[in-house]
């Protein structure tokens, strides 16, 4: 460093100022931060390995090496199954009422479907998870049975069941099956039985996203051999997102079909995708393709291959894909479930933000290697949800929007919902600004679009889903905070000016309409009883989380107002925030527990969301903050993070005290860092992200964690979710200690919270250039010491606060250039 001067700033404290140029994003300890980057280096992504095969598959590893040998899947034409005699009937203990199915087609579920010879229709009992479910078949004439074959549905497989036959006067046991997981299972009898009736009694079904229903497509009168469907499962090594691509070298002439099933986790990899848009819109939750005899270079895109047959969904978020030689019965003759296909290669056209090292505007490293991995894992998770909005790929429930089509956006999840929700951007926006500021338009596009759809009463929609009508109570507050964040990190005051009237309307019209006589937001006023929130929690009345969020939004709005010169608005909102703060502390503080109540009404419980944001928003004084954090530690601490509620009294929410949301954990991390509990914050980060990082699918941050550290909503859970990336801004803003305090980092603060971390360094991108920070904790003459170096870009100034034994030592009005401070 070229030292221009040295100035004493107090006993044991010194700052050196110099003119060394700012460092770019490629500077680091031997440049080794790049080794932590997770994202692919190019758009075409290949699988990491072949995980498994079933049936007749030759040379499976060849699909990892395009252009050479090929992988061959072969399946002979299955035999025609036996049929029941004419006049046979079926009855059941219950059956589901007819409806329009998943695709708007009138569908029946009565028992006769189990003997109609059509494997695509099925008997469906009426009551989920209710046993026994009984199907009785009466033959038109006596039959001699060596056994029967049960064909079920891939999302309704009977696990435990018995079979009985009628001897003319009583039912006789014929077979018992336990632990079944096969869709087609031949059940031999000990000896052939001649009978006129067979009774199937199911006592347990698979638990699926659609519930535990008994579904029987066919109960064939005889043993139908199972020809194992040939399949190959490949593993991409981590969650990826985009359009799957399969290069078929050739196929037999009988139009063999392939079906692709996708999953983010191996546990949920079955014959159906763990999530498909057809789960909402109808159809089959696999992607189909009929392979031409000459082969094909096929990219999975949304649509039909032949008329209204052979459908594929297109884009998927997944780690694993299972490719099976098979076809739907309804796709015949366009695709048939037998023949031979030869595969040359499998890959993915990656659509999300390509986060190669050279794309990073900012980086982070510290002495704790776990924290380094979690920072870059969060960055990759956020890259996966930064993508172009396409109606073919977004949530199918009315989320398609011409005003977003083709624009870069931040979505909530890679797999689902694939819709930009403003609450998610409260976390993922900060993650984006600190890693890839060149993509900041992804946040602006969403914020502006939601404001453009503001209701006349001032309410701002949370997302485009349901035609911008999804009623959430808290997300308009997050729009305010996200708008302030966007301007603070980017300096885009033009956005602030353009949407300032929307800011006024949401705070001064809509939220005042749901404020009660205590001065608190009250969910239920103005017909908001049915409104949801980030987790669709069934709570109403005066809620700490909503009101603490309100204080935060009012103060954020006041900041925007001051930046734009609207001082009267700023003063009014600041005063209202102070009044709400007083009301929260008067009505929602639980003195007995030493924490904020979740709600002023109903059973006593205390939420992570309300307590954490009460601290970060400044509602809680230091005494209340320390007490609330101690309470959360004592009542919500789990091996895989801190639960979002201290007990299970929320109606309709199973296991709230065992459920962890990284979304609401993020403000708790920040609250702990700012309350002088850095090691406690680090411990919580390591428990939360360590549990996700080391569990399948690895690396990416989950939407939510459930009991025992499992995905909280099973296969439906998004395993790469932008709102769960809060470890990254927490580590950069709080541990490294760098935050903006004026639009576009024109002013900034560097205030590290090191805890037991020995050193940290990194670069924060700003519109003026990179802001570089590094610090080292150590000893000097046997006493603790701390050295901090900051390189600030031209056009900025800031404050440095260095931890010392008696608190922080502050240095104000630090200008551009390189500055080093050592304490003592």
């Amino acid at each position: 460093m070229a030292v221009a001067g040295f100035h004493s700033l107090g006993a044991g404290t010194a700052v050196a100022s110099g003119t060394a140029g700012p460092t770019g994003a490629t500077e680091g300890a031997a440049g080794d931060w790049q080794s932590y980057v997770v994202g692919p280096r190019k758009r075409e992504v290949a699988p990491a390995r072949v995980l498994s095969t079933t049936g007749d598959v030759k040379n499976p590893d060849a699909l990892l090496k395009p252009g050479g040998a090929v992988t061959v899947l072969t399946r002979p034409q299955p035999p025609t199954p036996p049929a029941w005699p004419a006049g046979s009937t079926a009855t059941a203990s219950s059956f589901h009422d007819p409806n329009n199915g998943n695709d708007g087609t009138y569908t029946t579920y009565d028992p006769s479907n189990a003997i109609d010879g059509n494997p695509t229709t099925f008997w469906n009992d009426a009551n989920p998870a209710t046993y026994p479910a009984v199907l009785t078949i009466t033959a038109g004439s006596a039959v001699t049975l060596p056994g029967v074959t049960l064909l079920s549905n891939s999302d309704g497989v009977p696990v435990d069941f018995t079979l009985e036959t009628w001897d003319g006067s009583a039912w006789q046991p014929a077979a018992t099956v336990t632990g079944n997981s096969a869709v087609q299972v031949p059940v031999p009898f000990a000896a052939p039985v001649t009978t006129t009736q067979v009774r199937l009694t199911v006592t347990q079904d698979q638990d699926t996203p659609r519930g535990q229903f008994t579904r029987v497509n066919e109960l064939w009168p005889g043993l139908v051999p199972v020809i194992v469907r040939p399949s190959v499962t490949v593993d991409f090594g981590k969650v990826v997102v985009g359009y799957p691509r399969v290069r078929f070298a050739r196929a037999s002439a009988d139009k063999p079909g392939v079906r692709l099933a996708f999953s983010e986790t191996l546990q949920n990899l079955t014959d159906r995708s763990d999530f498909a848009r057809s789960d909402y819109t109808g159809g089959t939750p696999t992607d189909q393709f009929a392979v031409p005899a000459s082969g094909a270079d096929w990219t999975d895109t949304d649509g039909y291959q032949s008329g209204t047959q052979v459908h594929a969904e297109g884009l998927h978020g997944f780690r694993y894909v299972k490719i099976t030689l098979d076809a739907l019965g309804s796709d015949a003759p366009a695709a048939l479930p037998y023949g031979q296909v030869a595969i040359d290669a499998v890959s993915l056209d990656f659509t999300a933000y390509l986060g190669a090292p050279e794309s990073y505007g900012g980086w982070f490293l510290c002495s704790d290697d776990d924290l380094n991995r979690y920072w870059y894992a969060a960055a990759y998770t956020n890259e996966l949800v930064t993508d172009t909005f396409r109606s073919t790929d977004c949530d199918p429930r009315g989320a398609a929007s011409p005003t977003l089509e083709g624009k870069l956006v931040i979505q909530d999840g890679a797999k689902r919902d694939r819709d930009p929700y403003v609450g998610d951007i409260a976390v993922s926006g900060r993650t984006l600004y600190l890693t890839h500021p060149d993509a900041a338009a992804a946040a602006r596009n969403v914020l502006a679009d939601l404001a453009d759809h503001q209701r006349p009463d001032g309410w701002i929609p949370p997302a485009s889903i349901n035609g911008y009508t999804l009623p959430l109570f808290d997300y308009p507050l997050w729009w305010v905070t996200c708008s302030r964040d966007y301007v603070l990190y980017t300096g885009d005051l033009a956005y602030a000016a353009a949407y300032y009237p929307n800011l006024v309307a949401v705070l001064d019209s809509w939220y005042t309409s749901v404020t009660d006589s205590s001065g608190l937001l009250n969910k239920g006023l103005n017909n908001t009883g049915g409104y949801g929130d980030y987790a669709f929690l069934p709570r109403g009345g005066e809620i700490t989380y909503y009101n603490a969020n309100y204080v935060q939004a009012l103060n954020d709005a006041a900041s925007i107002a001051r930046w734009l010169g609207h001082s009267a608005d700023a003063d009014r909102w600041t005063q209202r925030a102070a009044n709400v703060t007083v009301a929260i502390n008067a009505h929602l503080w639980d003195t007995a527990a030493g924490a904020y109540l979740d709600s002023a009404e109903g059973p006593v419980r205390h939420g992570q969301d309300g307590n954490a944001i009460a601290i970060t928003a400044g509602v809680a004084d230091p005494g209340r903050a320390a007490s609330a954090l101690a309470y959360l530690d004592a009542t919500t601490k789990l091996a895989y993070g801190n639960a979002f509620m201290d007990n299970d009294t929320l109606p309709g929410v199973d296991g709230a005290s065992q459920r962890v949301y990284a979304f609401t954990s993020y403000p708790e991390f920040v609250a702990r860092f700012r309350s002088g509990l850095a090691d406690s914050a680090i411990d919580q980060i390591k428990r939360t992200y360590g549990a996700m990082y080391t569990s399948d699918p690895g690396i990416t941050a989950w939407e939510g964690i459930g009991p025992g550290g499992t995905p909280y909503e099973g296969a439906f859970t998004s395993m790469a979710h932008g709102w769960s990336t809060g470890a990254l801004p927490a580590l950069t803003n709080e541990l490294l200690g760098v935050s903006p305090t004026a639009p576009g980092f024109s002013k900034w603060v560097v205030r590290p919270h090191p805890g037991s971390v020995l050193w940290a360094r990194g670069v924060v991108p700003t519109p003026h250039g990179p802001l570089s920070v590094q610090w080292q904790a150590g000893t000097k003459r046997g006493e603790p010491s701390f050295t901090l170096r900051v390189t600030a870009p031209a056009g900025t100034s800031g404050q440095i606060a260095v931890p010392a034994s008696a608190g922080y030592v502050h240095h104000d009005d630090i200008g551009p250039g390189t500055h080093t401070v050592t304490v003592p």
Side-chain angles (χ1 to χ4, degrees), residues 619-645:
V619 173
D621 58 35
R624 282 192 171 97
S627 177
L629 291 172
Y631 180 84
L632 293 180
D633 247 352
T635 59
T636 68
K637 196 170 185 177
L638 301 167
Y640 48 91
N642 285 11
F644 88 108
M645 204 62 64

Side-chain angles (χ1 to χ4, degrees), residues 121-207:
T121 63
F122 54 92
W123 162 58
N124 198 128
D125 73 320
N127 305 304
T130 302
Y131 306 101
V134 181
L135 173 71
T136 303
I137 297 173
T138 301
S141 58
V143 290
T144 300
L145 302 174
V148 297
T149 300
L150 174 66
L151 179 69
S152 57
N153 204 297
S154 62
D155 59 356
V157 173
V159 175
D160 300 332
F161 57 91
T162 61
L163 287 155
E164 301 166 285
T165 59
W166 182 254
D167 68 2
S169 59
W171 289 103
Q172 299 298 329
T176 299
V177 174
T178 59
N180 174 57
S181 60
V183 172
Q184 180 179 331
V185 54
V187 184
F189 298 161
V193 176
T194 301
T195 185
T196 58
Q197 286 188 298
V198 175
R199 183 164 72 184
L200 168 72
T201 302
V202 178
T203 54
Q204 183 65 46
D205 292 304
Q206 280 184 338
D207 193 10

Side-chain angles (χ1 to χ4, degrees), residues 29 119 143 192 218 283 294 345 356 359 367 377 422 462 724 754 791:
V143 290
E218 292 291 321
S294 59
S359 74
S367 61
V422 70
S724 296
T791 300

Side-chain angles (χ1 to χ4, degrees), residues 388-424:
T388 301
F389 187 94
R390 295 173 291 268
S391 60
T392 53
D393 305 332
C394 69
D395 190 299
R397 296 168 294 178
S401 171
T403 56
L404 285 174
E405 188 72 25
K407 293 181 179 179
L408 187 68
V409 298
I410 304 178
Q411 298 165 329
D412 57 340
K415 174 176 72 176
R416 52 142 287 269
D417 298 336
R418 295 194 61 79
D419 194 29
Y421 283 80
V422 70
D424 299 63

